[in-house]
Amino acid sequence: MKIELNECDVERIARRVAELVGNGKMEEEYISTKEAAKLLSISPDRMRKLKDRFPHIKQGDNVQGKLLFLRRGLTTNYVK
């Protein structure tokens, strides 16, 4: 039997393994909109439109501040 895993599946498995072999505490890692979009195989523009589906923070005080996404929050059952 052949099983194909996408990049999100691999990331999720790797993080779970790290939790099991480590102390169970993982640091909060925020990534840029461009990196988040790449992880989900979508455009950065689409990522900005879908931002409220994922844990994120806005960096800066301007209305158009930089969005940073919680990496582990991107790997939970995203459907395009």
Side-chain angles (χ1 to χ4, degrees), residues 63-74:
V63 173
Q64 294 181 346
K66 181 177 181 179
L67 290 176
L68 298 173
F69 292 87
L70 183 60
R71 179 185 291 275
R72 68 180 165 86
L74 298 171

Side-chain angles (χ1 to χ4, degrees), residues 37-51:
K38 184 176 180 180
L39 186 65
L40 297 178
S41 300
I42 61 176
S43 71
D45 185 53
R46 179 84 175 137
M47 189 73 221
R48 284 186 284 279
K49 289 177 183 174
L50 298 175
K51 73 180 185 311

